[in-house]
Amino acid sequence: MARKILCVAEKPAIAKSVAQHLSGGQVTTRSITGNPYVKNYDFDFNFGPPWGNCSVTMTSVLGHLTELKFPAQYNQWHSPPPWSLFDAPVEDVVNQDKKAIADNIAQQARYSRALFVWTDCDREGEHIGSEVRRAAFQGNRSLEVKRAQFNNTERAHVVRAAQNAINLDERQVNAVAARIELDLRIGYAFTRFNTLTLQVMGGDLSERVISYGSCQFPTLGFVVDRYFRVKNFVPEKFWSIKVMHLRDDMEVTFSWRRHRLFDRVSVVILFERCLTARMAKVTKLQKKPTSKWRPLPLTTVELQKLGSMYLRMDSQRVMKIAEDLYNKGWISYPRTETDSFDKGIDLRILIEKQVQDNAWGPYAQGLLAGGFKWPRSGRNNDQAHPPIHPVNYVSLAALSGDDRRVYEFVVRRFLACCSEDAKGESTIVEIEYGDETFFTNGLIVLERNYLDVYPYEKWTSSQPLPRFNMHETFEPTEANITEGETTAPGYLTEPELISLMDANGIGTDATMAEHIAKIKDREYVMTQARAGGTAQANSTNGRGGRGGRGGRGGAQGGSNAGNGGGGGSVQQFIPTTLGVALIEGYDGIGLETSLGKPFLRKEMEIKMKEICAGTKSRHDFVQETLEQYREVFVRTQQQVGVLRAACRKYVFGDQP
DNA sequence: GCAAGGTC
């Protein structure tokens, strides 16, 4: 065997399954000294030209290998002063707990011709690849470095990746290197500044760390923003017209096309015209097929949102359980942005494994017997992992409490994805009455399809509608003016917060739950059960004037959550006085790029993409961004009184 | 005593 090649994956599980596939099962496993998780796998593989048949050692890291740090002379908080961290030297060091892993790589590199990087195909993965390269060069400077491109560990795909390796993408490496540097400098500088300038105010502020992070602050900002919208909400009166008609012992309520108006006099005038007209006329009678779309393949963000909505677990708990289920081999990798299945994956085999279950087995059987439909494709693909799906069957009896509920959700969601949409027939009856238009909807659910295996969503037939004829006229049984008042939105719930973070590029699928936990831990926010225990998100905003059958039907792809089991009430986020003071303080500094808003972080994300596209250099990006934050820093220092005033007002309750 | 990002 002429050549030896070293392969390094991002995590042990990938190293193991890639080794299995490439070796065809002929593999020797060795433990390494100093780390219980990482293993070395030895086998032979033919990489094709120019490498040919090689002896391979496949190993892994555990995520990032190195960490960026300030030198020891910057360890004190007071001096050198916080602002010096903007251009202090930084050094890239191997974490103490990763030392053994780096040494293993260096050692294995010593007799290798080439290093093949098998980290995840995303930006962070590319950077981890560069960290691996550095470790390998410690053992062998003349190593050739290649990168395997793969986004799942299906056998043929892995073999193809091994035989078509490319080079590391230095642009992606640079983009991440810049992010790491910026997060470190800015995070440390503002954390020290906040803590030092506010702790001298004493009292409740004297002992705490008042951290700033490019993700934690915008996350807090969302919570505070909603809090003020609730607090400052002024109810507004509105009026509407409701028409009722009794026919064949069925009572129909027609809703007003205008929905509602905020001016009573206008409504009275329009209403009187209706009464004067006396007769209503059917102007539209439409029956049409409608459907409720089956869900998309499951991503991490969606799992976290729905876990909170359907299972009443906070996002950190859901992720912890999902990781557990993954490590035990029941479900696929739980951190993914991908919401479409690769054409290469054999979904039927995965469905077959679920046939043995008592609860959903028969449904899975039905899919195999002809009900199967290839899942919808969403727009997101991280090019690294497939959507979350069950990979092996485990009986619910073998799982405990919350594990059971998460596994069941993942399975049902997967089976629902592979099903037909629910089908129904919707009827719209529209009438003209005076100068106004009113309508009513009817819905008959004809085929439940995916809903049979996915009880988390509800779609039910409405009360039957009596028969109407086109152009017929009739005198409505009753018509009156209804009155209502807009209601305040609720405080932010976890699914809403995750949606906001996702939409604004705050954190990644793997870290969103951590940022939320962090601002709780720092006592910037607290959670509280929503009074009344109603399940739904907010937006009960002004339903006052709507009548009976309105609003049903045709809820395509909407997120109408059923309560889907899992009692308890929704948790909502309320900022503490400190949380409010920080956001209001920073907003009060008067820069449009307040640290409490997501804009700066969003801009960072855009510029990282530019680096990856080759239209911006790492150096320019770092300098520009540091300049932006330095300006915020200087202004904040000058106007530290504003920040302190906000703390006096909220934390100490002083009257301004 | 500080960040965010990987993963166990």
Side-chain angles (χ1 to χ4, degrees):
Chain A
M1 196 69 53
R3 297 185 167 113
K4 182 175 142 102
I5 286 185
L6 172 61
C7 296
V8 183
E10 187 164 319
K11 43 190 162 279
I14 297 280
K16 185 176 184 180
S17 73
V18 170
Q20 288 294 340
H21 287 318
L22 297 186
S23 67
Q26 299 288 305
V27 56
T28 320
T29 308
R30 286 181 287 138
S31 291
I32 72 163
T33 41
N35 190 291
Y37 306 107
V38 172
K39 301 272 185 288
N40 291 347
Y41 300 96
D42 297 321
F43 55 92
D44 296 337
F45 179 74
N46 191 337
F47 284 83
W51 307 101
N53 212 14
C54 299
S55 74
V56 183
T57 293
M58 175 108 212
T59 186
S60 72
V61 287
L62 294 170
H64 286 285
L65 199 53
T66 56
E67 194 178 21
L68 201 64
K69 279 178 133 173
F70 292 110
Q73 62 266 36
Y74 288 87
N75 283 350
Q76 290 183 59
W77 282 50
H78 289 87
S79 70
W83 53 259
S84 68
L85 299 178
F86 279 103
D87 44 25
V90 285
E91 49 199 30
D92 223 342
V93 295
V94 175
N95 296 355
Q96 200 46 49
D97 57 335
K98 302 289 176 65
K99 205 88 175 57
I101 301 171
D103 288 346
N104 177 51
I105 290 171
Q107 211 163 32
Q108 299 304 320
R110 197 151 298 150
Y111 307 104
S112 299
R113 281 285 303 274
L115 165 69
F116 275 47
V117 172
W118 285 82
T119 50
D120 294 353
C121 285
D122 51 29
R123 275 192 325 223
E124 295 293 330
E126 216 64 18
H127 191 272
I128 293 168
S130 76
E131 298 168 36
V132 168
R133 173 175 59 189
R134 212 181 80 179
F137 279 167
Q138 293 294 315
N140 181 352
R141 256 317 312 185
S142 61
L143 208 56
E144 188 163 345
V145 181
K146 304 304 285 183
R147 201 252 195 276
Q149 265 186 307
F150 69 111
N151 52 39
N152 62 64
T153 53
E154 191 256 325
R155 187 178 179 280
H157 185 77
V158 165
V159 169
R160 204 178 322 131
Q163 294 173 339
N164 294 281
I166 56 167
N167 293 321
L168 271 181
D169 181 347
E170 302 299 336
R171 290 171 178 172
Q172 290 190 54
V173 172
N174 282 331
V176 172
R179 176 200 61 73
I180 291 172
E181 183 181 341
L182 289 167
D183 280 337
L184 176 75
R185 292 186 185 284
I186 297 162
Y188 269 53
F190 276 101
T191 296
R192 288 184 183 178
F193 172 79
N194 278 343
T195 306
L196 296 175
T197 50
L198 297 180
Q199 77 182 178
V200 295
M201 296 180 73
D204 192 34
L205 298 181
S206 55
E207 295 292 330
R208 47 176 91 238
V209 171
I210 303 175
S211 64
Y212 164 82
S214 60
C215 290
Q216 32 177 296
F217 251 52
T219 305
L220 169 62
F222 293 133
V223 175
V224 173
D225 186 63
R226 176 65 71 83
Y227 169 77
F228 277 116
R229 272 167 52 204
V230 174
K231 197 163 171 284
N232 299 332
F233 184 81
V234 182
E236 230 183 323
K237 282 202 165 180
F238 59 78
W239 292 265
S240 183
I241 303 173
K242 188 162 95 172
V243 176
M244 262 140 16
H245 191 58
L246 192 66
R247 176 176 287 186
D248 308 335
D249 285 333
M250 289 179 266
E251 195 180 74
V252 193
T253 305
F254 289 92
S255 309
W256 197 14
R257 245 322 153 216
R258 293 185 199 261
H259 186 199
R260 63 190 187 189
L261 295 177
F262 292 91
D263 174 36
R264 184 171 174 276
V265 177
S266 308
V267 176
V268 170
I269 292 171
L270 297 171
F271 177 64
E272 277 170 358
R273 285 189 201 154
C274 294
L275 296 185
T276 308
R278 208 171 62 88
M279 300 299 277
K281 182 179 178 187
V282 177
T283 51
K284 190 172 167 189
L285 197 61
Q286 202 178 57
K287 256 194 184 140
K288 60 175 183 189
T290 180
S291 54
K292 184 171 170 59
W293 292 358
R294 60 211 169 117
L296 283 168
L298 187 62
T299 62
T300 305
V301 167
E302 211 54 19
L303 172 66
Q304 292 183 9
K305 285 200 271 190
L306 299 183
S308 163
M309 272 163 71
Y310 299 155
L311 311 178
R312 299 277 183 271
M313 287 180 208
D314 71 46
S315 51
Q316 251 204 334
R317 173 128 188 86
V318 173
M319 284 313 289
K320 163 126 195 2
I321 291 170
E323 266 156 38
D324 240 40
L325 294 171
Y326 163 70
N327 287 327
K328 288 178 184 143
W330 307 132
I331 67 170
S332 64
Y333 190 63
R335 288 189 278 269
T336 174
E337 294 169 37
T338 309
D339 52 10
S340 61
F341 280 103
D342 202 273
K343 290 295 170 210
I345 190 169
D346 191 343
L347 298 178
R348 303 184 73 96
I349 289 183
L350 299 173
I351 296 171
E352 264 165 33
K353 294 187 177 172
Q354 299 299 330
V355 166
Q356 56 190 301
D357 190 81
N358 287 329
W360 55 77
Y363 186 91
Q365 184 64 55
L367 289 183
L368 294 170
F372 174 79
K373 218 176 155 206
W374 190 266
R376 293 164 57 200
S377 290
R379 290 199 197 123
N380 307 296
N381 197 326
D382 61 17
Q383 304 297 338
H385 308 285
I388 303 168
H389 61 271
V391 290
N392 270 308
Y393 176 75
V394 55
S395 119
L396 290 189
L399 296 173
S400 62
D402 286 349
D403 289 27
R404 182 181 304 179
R405 295 164 67 218
V406 173
Y407 180 72
E408 174 170 5
F409 173 70
V410 170
V411 174
R412 288 183 179 277
R413 169 75 174 215
F414 171 68
L415 295 174
C417 283
C418 297
S419 308
E420 288 272 6
D421 294 343
K423 302 275 167 61
E425 183 184 74
S426 83
T427 308
I428 299 170
V429 182
E430 206 172 80
I431 58 170
E432 241 170 62
Y433 186 34
D435 294 335
E436 299 304 304
T437 307
F438 299 83
F439 68 95
T440 190
N441 287 327
L443 171 71
I444 303 169
V445 176
L446 298 172
E447 295 171 33
R448 288 179 47 79
N449 295 330
Y450 85 87
L451 292 169
D452 282 333
V453 77
Y454 201 63
Y456 314 100
E457 287 185 4
K458 301 272 185 281
W459 203 45
T460 44
S461 299
S462 62
Q463 303 251 313
L465 288 179
R467 187 171 174 78
F468 286 94
N469 296 307
M470 189 63 179
H471 305 310
E472 75 164 293
T473 57
F474 63 92
E475 183 173 356
T477 315
E478 201 183 321
N480 39 46
I481 292 183
T482 61
E483 190 181 302
E485 208 175 57
T486 55
T487 52
Y491 294 111
L492 209 60
T493 63
E494 188 155 20
E496 292 174 315
L497 180 53
I498 291 171
S499 298
L500 283 168
M501 294 173 74
D502 189 35
N504 286 282
I506 305 299
T508 68
D509 48 9
T511 60
M512 282 180 196
E514 286 173 36
H515 298 312
I516 295 173
K518 176 76 81 180
I519 61 172
K520 275 198 233 176
D521 190 51
R522 291 271 185 259
E523 296 185 59
Y524 295 163
V525 304
M526 51 200 217
T527 54
Q528 195 181 75
R530 175 169 290 180
T534 42
Q536 271 314 297
N538 72 323
S539 76
T540 45
N541 223 344
R543 280 306 226 36
R546 299 298 290 265
R549 295 207 179 85
R552 283 263 182 84
Q556 279 215 341
S559 60
N560 61 337
N563 263 348
S569 58
V570 156
Q571 294 291 310
Q572 50 188 7
F573 287 85
I574 299 169
T576 61
T577 51
L578 174 59
V580 171
L582 288 172
I583 295 300
E584 206 173 71
Y586 272 101
D587 279 353
I589 306 284
L591 285 165
E592 52 187 311
T593 48
S594 166
L595 292 189
K597 301 265 190 294
F599 309 129
L600 280 175
R601 175 72 214 196
K602 218 172 175 175
E603 204 176 319
M604 243 171 94
E605 195 61 32
I606 291 167
K607 289 182 176 170
M608 280 173 76
K609 293 211 170 101
E610 287 174 12
I611 297 185
C612 293
T615 54
K616 193 171 207 62
S617 75
R618 167 181 172 180
H619 179 263
D620 286 355
F621 169 47
V622 172
Q623 291 315 313
E624 275 171 29
T625 308
L626 282 179
E627 205 41 59
Q628 272 178 323
Y629 279 91
R630 207 184 263 124
E631 191 192 336
V632 178
F633 194 91
V634 169
R635 285 286 287 267
T636 309
Q637 258 182 331
Q638 287 165 350
Q639 303 195 49
V640 73
V642 176
L643 200 56
R644 289 205 174 116
C647 287
R648 267 195 298 279
K649 179 173 164 192
Y650 291 102
V651 182
F652 301 117
D654 294 357
Q655 295 304 318

